[in-house]
Amino acid sequence: MATRVVVGTQWGDEGKGKYIDMLAKDSDIVVRFSGGNNAGHTIVANGVKYALHLIPSGILNEGKTCIIGNGVVVDPAVLLKEIKELNDKGIDTSRLLVSDRAHVIMPYHRLLDELQEKFRGDNSIGTTKRGIGPCYSDKTERSGIRMCDLIDEEVFVDKVKENLKTKNLIIEKVYGGQKLDADQVISEYLEYGRKLKGYVADVNSIIFESIEQDKNVLFEGAQATFLDLDFGTYPYVTSSNPVAGGVCTGAGVGPVFINEVYGVLKAYTSRVGAGPFPTEQDNEMGDTIRELGWEYGTTTGRPRRCGWLDLVMIKYAARVNGLTALAINHVDTIGKLPKIMLCVAYKKNGQETRNFPSSLKELAQCEPVYEEFDGWEEDISKVKSFNDLPDNAKKYLRRIEEIVGVKIKLIGVGKEREQTIIV
Ligand code: GDP
Ligand code: IMO
Ligand code: MG
């Protein structure tokens, strides 16, 4: 049996999709366990670019079962659109299954996400406005609607009517928004339910049986450690648990069944949305990294904030996820700079620390401590082995391993699935 989990170690967009697609080749099933269509996972295969938001990034591998787990929040219109887009590109989606326990993103979730962000004003989180937070709030508040409800007309109609009683009051009276029409929501969503019914299943038993039968199961993380509701830079986080522990609750798998955890990172750091970012380069250097790495959001198209790689963060991510391997991307990108800075610790009140603080006030008092490295301006996009990398690249990568205490197993030198060095 081999179960592998792939998680983000920074603020998302580390290149998880590329590695999921690659690791899916020798997996039997691929399971998304958290988040929703706030995620944007890019895969470039044979020159064709795919941007997946909900469907597991294993879908391009023929014959692999792809599962959307119970921990995911599903916008049915987005899911149907993504299925169609893949089908139009000749990708078969009959191997896709959606957990009957996954919660459904409703129009009032999207509307409330937008209204809440507007009302936060200067304190806005910079959400993707996809309704993620309000949907997870309903899940914990116990008023959510699940996929099993969406495909059961009687239950669905009741739940929408019940929900809209309070949601419309909040939309209108609290936020001054335009209330939603129950009949319209119901007829739109019942149609989605009819179209998606064939995909909805009790996937937990499939995942469990696969593990029992010694199959290879790959768990696909979305978002990342520092967007985690518990371990991220709260409140500038998402509303789910993207850390490896999220597999237990988001796919229904006991911790003893998790064998390997890959932590994906970029050779620098990026962030979309608001919140602290100690090594951010809000200057020409940040602009240069953004252009070299083409750092624009896969989901919202927003320019990503860019800065140096922060190993205090990666060390913390190694701990909370139990990382067994690092998978680093954009080694080609960072090497184009003549000088690279690597944050190896923080300085707070004159003292060096490698602990990532919980309080944002304390985090603001932390100054990154940098080590300087020389770039490797030559083109490494076709390099196939660690030994063939320029010495300066090896030095940079070895220092990362040394400080984090976890071995690098995968090195990304370009966007294509083949542009990966397996160490
Ligand atoms: P994800 O959300 O973690 O799957 O990452 P995204 O797809 O949102 O963002 C990663 C971006 O980096 C995408 O545009 C990828 O095509 C690109 N990418 C991934 N790995 C590499 C790499 O090693 N080198 C370069 N140059 N681009 C990469
Ligand atoms: P992938 O899987 C980068 C960020 C948003 C915002 C915060 C909360 O592609 O790595 P939300 O809509 O979730 O309530 O927004 O989280 N965010 C991401 N940033 N990559 C992602 O996913 C993200 N998913 C959410 O920008 O700051
Ligand atoms: Mg992304």
Side-chain angles (χ1 to χ4, degrees):
M1 172 194 71
T3 58
R4 290 178 293 189
V5 183
V6 174
V7 292
T9 57
Q10 297 163 317
W11 281 292
D13 306 325
E14 297 88 351
K16 299 175 289 294
K18 186 181 79 167
Y19 285 134
I20 296 285
D21 167 64
M22 198 193 111
L23 296 170
K25 219 173 5 174
D26 55 14
S27 305
D28 297 291
I29 66 173
V30 184
V31 187
R32 263 281 301 264
F33 62 88
S34 74
N37 60 309
N38 46 351
H41 296 177
T42 316
I43 304 162
V44 184
N46 310 318
V48 183
K49 186 175 157 184
Y50 301 85
L52 297 170
H53 302 283
L54 266 175
I55 296 179
S57 304
I59 197 77
L60 304 188
N61 292 262
E62 241 175 89
K64 310 295 179 184
T65 303
C66 288
I67 294 179
I68 295 177
N70 61 280
V72 176
V73 287
V74 179
D75 186 323
V78 173
L79 180 56
L80 284 164
K81 183 167 172 265
E82 213 164 286
I83 291 172
K84 185 177 180 306
E85 280 169 3
L86 286 172
N87 293 161
D88 289 348
K89 285 183 176 163
I91 310 290
D92 156 51
T93 50
S94 64
R95 309 160 274 123
L96 175 71
L97 292 168
V98 184
S99 169
D100 50 2
R101 290 185 167 90
H103 279 246
V104 179
I105 297 181
M106 300 295 295
Y108 45 83
H109 293 138
R110 286 192 302 269
L111 182 54
L112 284 168
D113 197 355
E114 184 136 9
L115 292 169
Q116 285 166 356
E117 276 288 88
K118 206 166 114 197
F119 268 70
R120 285 184 189 118
D122 289 345
N123 296 322
S124 75
I125 294 165
T127 75
T128 58
K129 298 189 182 150
R130 300 297 193 260
I132 307 294
C135 184
Y136 278 115
S137 298
D138 277 4
K139 178 177 177 177
T140 46
E141 198 219 22
R142 293 156 294 181
S143 60
I145 298 181
R146 298 185 295 167
M147 289 303 290
C148 57
D149 307 323
L150 177 68
I151 58 171
D152 182 324
E153 184 165 343
E154 206 182 313
V155 176
F156 184 74
V157 170
D158 275 357
K159 290 208 172 205
V160 172
K161 285 187 175 160
E162 195 56 31
N163 263 289
L164 273 179
K165 274 189 217 158
T166 48
K167 299 299 181 205
N168 271 338
L169 278 175
I170 297 167
I171 289 165
E172 250 193 338
K173 309 280 184 211
V174 177
Y175 295 110
Q178 195 82 36
K179 70 176 183 183
L180 297 168
D181 178 66
D183 291 337
Q184 212 175 322
V185 172
I186 289 167
S187 75
E188 181 190 337
Y189 270 64
L190 283 179
E191 185 58 22
Y192 298 149
R194 280 190 279 273
K195 288 185 176 153
L196 287 171
K197 196 169 181 146
Y199 293 98
V200 180
D202 171 12
V203 299
N204 185 246
S205 57
I206 299 169
I207 298 168
F208 190 74
E209 279 158 22
S210 301
I211 292 174
E212 256 189 343
Q213 292 162 12
D214 270 353
K215 291 190 173 165
N216 294 325
V217 185
L218 183 61
F219 293 100
E220 171 172 357
Q223 287 74 53
T225 306
F226 288 85
L227 290 174
D228 185 276
L229 187 55
D230 287 82
F231 293 103
T233 43
Y234 190 91
Y236 299 97
V237 293
T238 192
S239 300
S240 64
N241 287 114
V243 294
V247 169
C248 298
T249 54
V253 174
V256 290
F257 296 116
I258 295 174
N259 301 136
E260 288 182 71
V261 185
Y262 284 69
V264 187
L265 64 145
K266 270 177 187 159
Y268 48 91
T269 310
S270 72
R271 173 164 208 170
V272 221
F277 181 170
T279 61
E280 179 169 20
Q281 297 302 298
D282 190 10
N283 50 36
E284 261 180 47
M285 181 51 75
D287 296 342
T288 303
I289 298 174
R290 182 179 313 110
E291 293 313 309
L292 287 175
W294 196 245
E295 291 296 347
Y296 293 90
T298 313
T299 299
T300 56
R302 289 178 287 180
R304 294 172 180 154
R305 299 157 62 192
C306 293
W308 303 116
L309 177 56
D310 180 342
L311 294 184
V312 179
M313 289 173 63
I314 310 300
K315 224 177 144 53
Y316 173 90
R319 195 172 68 211
V320 299
N321 292 289
L323 298 184
T324 59
L326 297 179
I328 187 164
N329 273 319
H330 281 279
V331 176
D332 54 322
T333 306
I334 200 74
K336 289 177 184 151
L337 298 173
K339 293 279 176 210
I340 306 163
M341 306 303 274
L342 178 66
C343 168
V344 294
Y346 292 158
K347 196 167 231 175
K348 198 180 135 228
N349 304 327
Q351 297 261 317
E352 272 197 24
T353 171
R354 282 202 177 134
N355 285 328
F356 193 90
S358 315
S359 143
L360 296 195
K361 198 169 148 189
E362 268 183 53
L363 184 60
Q365 293 159 2
C366 291
E367 281 289 320
V369 177
Y370 289 113
E371 285 178 5
E372 188 182 281
F373 291 77
D374 290 322
W376 42 96
E377 287 166 71
E378 67 209 80
D379 177 20
I380 61 164
S381 65
K382 293 187 178 64
V383 173
K384 294 280 177 214
S385 81
F386 184 84
N387 286 338
D388 293 339
L389 282 171
D391 283 344
N392 286 346
K394 285 184 199 160
K395 251 188 242 169
Y396 185 66
L397 296 171
R398 288 208 172 106
R399 186 66 177 138
I400 294 169
E401 278 185 333
E402 189 176 49
I403 291 184
V404 180
V406 180
K407 289 277 177 212
I408 295 175
K409 271 203 188 168
L410 302 172
I411 300 170
V413 293
K415 286 173 189 295
E416 281 273 349
R417 44 154 79 132
E418 283 81 20
Q419 288 177 298
T420 300
I421 298 171
I422 303 170
V423 185

